[in-house]
């Protein structure tokens, strides 16, 4: 660590690849990085004045850090209610300390005057794909024709209009893209009561664009899988390579990140065979480690640089 | 037609609907249960058709939406996990539907809430302070022994009431029974400035009912920052006589008559 280096805070499970890579990148960059390991939340301490989020103290592993000295926060927090320390049967006092520390810290993150990647309030746009899609369309992105419905007849009409379709969850839960094939057609009777998102299947290469502050880092996935993230599971080959995107596409990604309030996000695009671009969604908490390790994108370096210096 | 989205016993929605009926203007009331059991065909950025027990409606015919929704009840499906998943999908659909209106929606959708933000007290107070409003002084500490009361007279409040969003019908989880001999000790605490009850105020659009001057200006700023055109601001009286913000509620249970009139002007300009 370089003397006087900016202090950044990384919140999450310390061994989880995105957090681990960020910590390693901070070390390479000579930054002062404090890792708040959620599994040890009951042993951490925090004090803050609600009317002034600069006034207070964070204590991790015995080290006391004034809140006003923090330059940036990478929040990759997992839902604390799922942690073993807070599950039923855990010692009540430690469970309460863990829950209180998380609640106070995560609310402080929402209010902190420093750089934050990302605040929960902004990440919530991803809890509805069609909602976020409207925001992305307003940034100039073309989205595939989309229908959200629980009416089997509406799906059939949409398929007649657009040909091959894919479907996925409307929220961010159970979100795997599947082709609307004969088997799926056979299950349409289960659709009433479960609004599902259907989209025209777009041919082309998947391009994941990571926006980190003003930096844009992209990777191109070549595969025949409908959802390239699950190509391995489906037994399909995948080739992931770093790539450049045209300046106007990069600018549109930066604009979307800014408008969505997500200084760090992963935007899923597809480039059609005719060269045009279509956008699917913006991931507000990208599990970027795969792209960094498989495509060699220096995402963690860019992330900690932005947290420390903007 | 004004679309009213509210629980069946919602007094503010009833006041708005009643006034509209009295002047011969149509309103259609859909409850969360109506919405949860409806059939939906929604094209984001395009049309939305809803078929429910209450009838069929093309939402393009709506001239405004009074949105008082908190959540949609989980319905259908035998397994609880499936029922909850379906409720989440419906809620995600509704986020998009509400965002797609080209007519006023008050309060507007703001995921993860259906209408205006759902914030804990700490979130409202931090936002109010940033808007220049005087707020009740709260100091949150995970360890009351390491950080004792910052000033005389501060009382120790439970942290859940300050840091967990207030949700209708959902009680905060109980805090454990700490040994009585350790009233604060190494346990989480919120040191709270004592305040006496004081009448609150309500923002509706650019009007403030119940406050004036810089306080009203601050409330307008808070309403804008929260993107909640309708916002009840709860106040307390500090020991030095200042009126300070102690919380806020974008779905006030009741509104004064003049605020109801202002609300109608907002959703049916």
């Amino acid at each position: 660590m370089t003397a006087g280096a900016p202090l950044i805070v990384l919140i999450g499970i310390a061994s989880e690849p995105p957090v681990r890579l960020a910590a390693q990148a901070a070390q390479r960059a000579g930054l002062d990085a404090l890792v708040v390991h959620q599994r040890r939340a009951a042993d951490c301490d925090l004090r803050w004045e609600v009317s002034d989020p600069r006034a207070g103290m964070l204590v991790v592993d015995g080290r006391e850090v004034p809140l006003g000295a923090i330059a940036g926060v990478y929040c990759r927090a997992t839902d604390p209610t799922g942690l073993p320390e807070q599950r039923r049967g855990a010692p009540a006092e430690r469970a309460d300390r863990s829950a209180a520390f998380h609640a106070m810290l995560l609310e402080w993150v929402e209010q902190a005057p420093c750089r934050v990647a990302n605040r929960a309030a902004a990440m919530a746009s991803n809890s509805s794909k069609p909602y976020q899609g409207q925001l992305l369309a307003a940034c100039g992105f073309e989205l595939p024709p989309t229908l959200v419905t629980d009416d089997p007849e509406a799906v059939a009409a949409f398929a007649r209009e657009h040909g091959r379709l894919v479907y996925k969850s409307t929220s961010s839960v159970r979100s795997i893209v599947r082709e609307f094939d004969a088997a799926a057609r056979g299950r349409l009777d289960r659709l009433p009561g479960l609004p599902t998102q259907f989209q025209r299947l777009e041919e082309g290469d998947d391009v994941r664009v990571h926006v980190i502050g003003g930096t844009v880092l992209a990777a191109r996935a070549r595969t025949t899988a409908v959802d390239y993230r699950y190509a391995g599971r489906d037994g399909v080959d995948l080739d992931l390579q770093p790539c450049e995107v045209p300046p106007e596409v990069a600018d549109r990604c930066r604009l979307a990140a800014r408008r969505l309030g997500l200084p760090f996000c992963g935007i899923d695009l597809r480039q059609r065979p005719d060269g045009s671009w279509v956008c699917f969604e913006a991931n507000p908490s990208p599990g970027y480690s795969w792209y960094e390790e498989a495509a060699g994108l220096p995402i963690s370096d860019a992330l900690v640089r932005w947290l420390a210096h903007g | 037609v004004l679309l009213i989205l509210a629980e069946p016993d919602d007094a503010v929605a009833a006041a708005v609907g009643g006034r509209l009926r009295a002047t011969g203007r149509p309103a259609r009331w859909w409850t969360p249960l109506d919405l949860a059991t409806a059939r939906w065909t929604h094209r984001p950025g395009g049309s939305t058709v809803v078929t429910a027990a209450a009838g069929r409606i093309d939402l393009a015919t709506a001239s405004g939406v009074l949105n008082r929704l908190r959540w949609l009840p989980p319905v259908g499906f035998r397994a609880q996990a499936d029922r909850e998943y379906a409720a989440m999908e419906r809620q995600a659909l509704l986020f998009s539907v509400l965002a797609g209106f080209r007519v006023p929606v008050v309060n507007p959708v703001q995921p993860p809430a259906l209408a205006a933000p759902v914030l804990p007290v700490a979130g409202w107070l931090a936002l109010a302070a940033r808007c220049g409003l005087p707020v009740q002084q709260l100091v949150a500490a995970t360890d009351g022994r390491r950080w004792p009361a910052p000033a005389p007279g501060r009382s120790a409040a439970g942290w859940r009431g300050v840091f967990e969003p207030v949700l209708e019908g959902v009680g905060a989880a109980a805090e454990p029974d700490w040994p009585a001999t350790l009233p604060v000790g190494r346990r989480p605490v919120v040191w709270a400035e004592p305040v006496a009850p004081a009448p609150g105020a309500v923002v509706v659009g650019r009007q403030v009912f119940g406050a004036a001057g810089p306080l009203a200006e601050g409330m307008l700023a808070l309403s804008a920052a929260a993107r909640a055109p309708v916002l009840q601001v709860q106040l307390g009286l500090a020991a030095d006589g200042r009126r300070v913000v102690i919380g806020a509620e974008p779905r006030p249970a009741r509104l004064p008559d003049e605020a109801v009139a202002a609300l109608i002007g907002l959703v049916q300009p």
Side-chain angles (χ1 to χ4, degrees), chain A residues 212-231:
Chain A
I212 313 108
T215 304
V216 167
L217 297 170
R220 181 178 293 266
R222 288 197 172 91
T223 180
T224 55
V226 171
D227 189 333
Y228 73 98
R229 299 168 303 169
Y230 297 92

Side-chain angles (χ1 to χ4, degrees), chain A residues 105-126:
Chain A
L105 179 68
L106 297 179
E107 186 58 41
W108 175 79
V109 168
E110 292 302 288
Q111 311 301 337
C114 61
R115 286 177 285 278
V116 175
N118 290 316
R119 297 184 209 266
M123 292 167 69
S125 71
N126 192 240

Side-chain angles (χ1 to χ4, degrees), chain A residues 8 32 88 153 160 168 170 209-210 237 268 279 306:
Chain A
I8 63 172
D32 184 6
R88 193 183 298 274
E153 286 179 17
R160 283 195 297 276
K168 54 184 143 181
T170 309
V209 177
H210 289 93
D237 287 339
D268 287 325
C279 178
W306 179 79

Side-chain angles (χ1 to χ4, degrees), chain A residues 45-48 50-51 64 96-97 100 103 107 111 124 128 130-131 134 146 148-150 161 169-171 173 193, chain B residues 40-43 85 88-90 92 96 100 111-112 120 123 130 137-138 140-142 146-147 159-160 176 178 186 188:
Chain A
D45 275 306
L46 177 69
R47 174 196 186 276
W48 68 285
V50 169
S51 60
E64 295 188 358
D96 189 60
R97 277 189 52 77
E107 186 58 41
Q111 311 301 337
S128 166
Y131 169 84
Q134 292 184 57
T146 301
V148 183
T149 189
D150 57 356
E161 187 182 346
S169 65
T170 309
S171 72
V173 181
Chain B
W40 295 84
T41 302
H42 168 58
R43 293 195 182 213
Y85 172 65
M88 208 173 307
E89 295 297 283
R90 269 184 230 112
S96 180
R130 280 212 300 279
Q137 295 302 302
L138 299 178
T142 52
R146 181 196 280 257
W147 292 298
W159 64 268
R160 291 187 190 272
W178 295 91
R186 186 173 154 74

Side-chain angles (χ1 to χ4, degrees), chain A residues 27-49:
Chain A
Q27 195 169 21
R28 281 196 300 277
L31 297 171
D32 184 6
L34 184 70
V35 179
V36 179
H37 180 25
Q38 287 182 271
R39 297 292 305 275
R40 294 216 299 266
D43 299 315
C44 299
D45 275 306
L46 177 69
R47 174 196 186 276
W48 68 285
E49 294 182 19

Side-chain angles (χ1 to χ4, degrees), chain A residues 18 26 35 49 63 88 104 204 206 211 239 293:
Chain A
V35 179
E49 294 182 19
R63 180 180 173 194
R88 193 183 298 274
M104 292 177 186
D206 284 294
V211 179
D239 176 41
E293 290 170 344

Side-chain angles (χ1 to χ4, degrees), chain B residues 157-239:
Chain B
W159 64 268
R160 291 187 190 272
V162 175
F163 283 95
E164 293 190 343
V166 182
L167 293 173
E168 211 171 60
V170 180
E175 296 182 32
D177 292 327
W178 295 91
T181 50
L182 292 173
V184 175
R186 186 173 154 74
R187 65 160 161 146
V189 65
V190 176
W191 296 111
E193 175 187 22
V195 293
V202 179
V203 179
V204 180
R206 295 293 303 163
Q207 298 182 67
V208 180
F209 303 92
L215 200 56
E217 289 301 315
M219 289 177 183
L220 287 171
L222 177 62
S223 159
R227 291 194 289 130
V230 174
L231 186 67
Q232 182 180 55
V233 183
Q234 296 145 349
L235 298 171
L237 199 62

